[in-house]
Amino acid sequence: MGKPVVAVIGRPNVGKSTLFNVIAGDSISIVKDTPGVTRDRIYADCNWLDMNFTLIDTGGIEPESTDIILSQMRQQAQIAIDNADVIIFMTDVRQGLVDADLKVADMLRRSGKTVVLAVNKVDSIQKFGNDVYEFYNMGIGDPMPISAASRLGIGDLLDAVCSHFDKASASQDIQDDRPKIAIIGKPNVGKSSIINKLIGTSRVIVSDIAGTTRDAIDTVIVHNKKEYVFIDTAGIRRKSKIKEELERYSIIRAVTAVERADVSILVIDALEGVSEQDAKIAGIAHDRGKGVIVAVNKWDLVTKDNKTMNEHLSNLKRILSFIPYAEYIFISAVSGQRLYKLFDLIDMVVANHALRIQTGVLNEIISEAVVLQQPPSDKGKRLKIFYSTQAAVKPPTFVVFVNNKELMHFSYVRYLENKIREAFGFRGVPIRFIIRERQDK
């Protein structure tokens, strides 16, 4: 089960991004070698009093005309309603209650989702306290006065948000151990077609009319008497004039789908090749420590000779170099070519994602690695590795105890990772390392 998802929605200029940055604080991971993934800060992993959750800023644009603002807000609200466990609905005490707020409140009320109403820019209770009461008129619960800029009332707001998490997680079946697979990728690469071919029916009706949305639908597919849950993020083709908005929405969808999955299948169009947007979407799965399979679709349409596949593969691996562990498969959703091999790959990646290594065996491998390549040293001090153990699975996470953290260079961690992979495989899944310092006894 993934972490709860909290979405922030509201009109332009009510302070959504300020609140997002305050709550996310330093916990926004800027991943150096992942192209453009966390730079646009649409989502962040946050925690509050031992509660972990994913925060989404539905942010967006500020068009001139008011009816466009309303339709944008409706779209944002709809996405939040589809994907979030708890919604923070932000309003602005200084502008007061406006018509657009009431219309969105109406949608939220009908959705039955948990909503926490935040009234922002209340820098002084003496000055603005009475104005907060006006927001009771929306009929979606008690308005909470906050000031994102002055960091007032944020703790109470987060307490209110977190109080709903247990219900959110209880509403999902925690004991469900079927493999969960998120199908991610840009629009039109054939995500729905893959699922339709695996089921054998045309289930996802995708039309090109603007605004035809549906939720990410979970599809159960049985293969060799085993059930797999496919989480599909396809079918949303908003004919939006604003390309960034479309990208933002597809990223939000991908985040929420990946969060719930064990394995992500990144679908790439063989004719278009791999793009920066694909790398961004792959980065979401990598950041969240999920298994990754890259499926190159429409392979039947590519004119081939005996070098074509290798050329494609090396190009893909170059652009997606930050996920060197990913598995690749060339398929066609239309002809069904290699489609059922996906299940073998999924089984392998799911098993690797949950693989545990005995501590004794792990330390043997690491001691051997240290003998083969001496640890780095600096100003006469050499790195010593005392002991390692596997702390977690999904993704496999190793704690390494050393004499000095500073001496543990990134390149040496990479070297140890390669040695562990040589010994145990871990194909298709990322490996995490936590370096801890311990004094030499």
Side-chain angles (χ1 to χ4, degrees), residues 174-368:
I174 294 168
Q175 289 311 310
D176 186 0
D177 42 16
R178 298 175 294 184
K180 289 177 203 57
I181 303 100
I183 304 271
I184 55 177
K186 291 184 307 197
N188 298 338
V189 290
K191 299 189 290 286
S192 304
S193 315
I194 290 174
I195 289 183
N196 289 341
K197 189 74 175 180
L198 292 174
I199 303 174
T201 58
S202 184
R203 169 206 59 116
V204 182
I205 309 297
V206 184
S207 84
D208 274 330
I209 308 161
T212 50
T213 62
R214 44 166 207 73
D215 296 8
I217 290 182
D218 291 5
T219 308
V220 178
I221 296 176
V222 180
H223 176 72
N224 288 345
K225 299 181 181 168
K226 183 173 169 184
E227 287 190 359
Y228 298 80
V229 180
F230 282 82
I231 304 164
D232 171 22
T233 57
I236 304 345
R237 313 233 189 125
R238 288 187 188 284
K239 279 258 184 78
S240 164
K241 294 181 191 69
I242 302 111
K243 187 164 170 283
E244 278 130 50
E245 279 302 281
L246 185 66
E247 285 200 1
R248 175 181 281 264
Y249 290 144
S250 66
I251 286 177
I252 288 175
R253 277 220 172 70
V255 170
T256 51
V258 166
E259 196 62 80
R260 291 171 45 218
D262 305 302
V263 181
S264 299
I265 297 181
L266 172 67
V267 184
I268 288 174
D269 184 324
L271 299 172
E272 284 181 22
V274 61
S275 69
E276 195 179 319
Q277 175 75 351
D278 293 316
K280 266 188 190 177
I281 295 171
I284 293 168
H286 173 71
D287 279 357
R288 283 168 166 55
K290 307 294 183 174
V292 180
I293 296 170
V294 179
V296 183
N297 189 25
K298 309 184 188 177
W299 190 240
D300 52 331
L301 304 178
V302 174
T303 327
K304 299 184 251 316
D305 59 29
N306 54 4
K307 295 195 188 102
T308 313
M309 191 179 276
N310 285 340
E311 281 166 5
H312 268 260
L313 201 54
S314 62
N315 189 39
L316 284 164
K317 286 185 170 173
R318 193 184 76 248
I319 293 176
L320 301 176
S321 60
F322 59 94
I323 45 169
Y325 51 84
E327 287 291 310
Y328 289 85
I329 184 168
F330 292 81
I331 60 169
S332 162
V334 175
S335 72
Q337 178 186 14
R338 290 196 202 89
L339 210 50
Y340 288 96
K341 287 197 174 156
L342 265 178
F343 290 106
D344 298 338
L345 272 184
I346 290 164
D347 288 343
M348 178 189 75
V349 173
V350 166
N352 286 342
H353 203 223
L355 182 61
R356 249 183 212 289
I357 295 173
Q358 288 175 331
T359 303
V361 183
L362 175 68
N363 283 288
E364 264 173 47
I365 297 294
I366 287 186
S367 306
E368 229 169 80

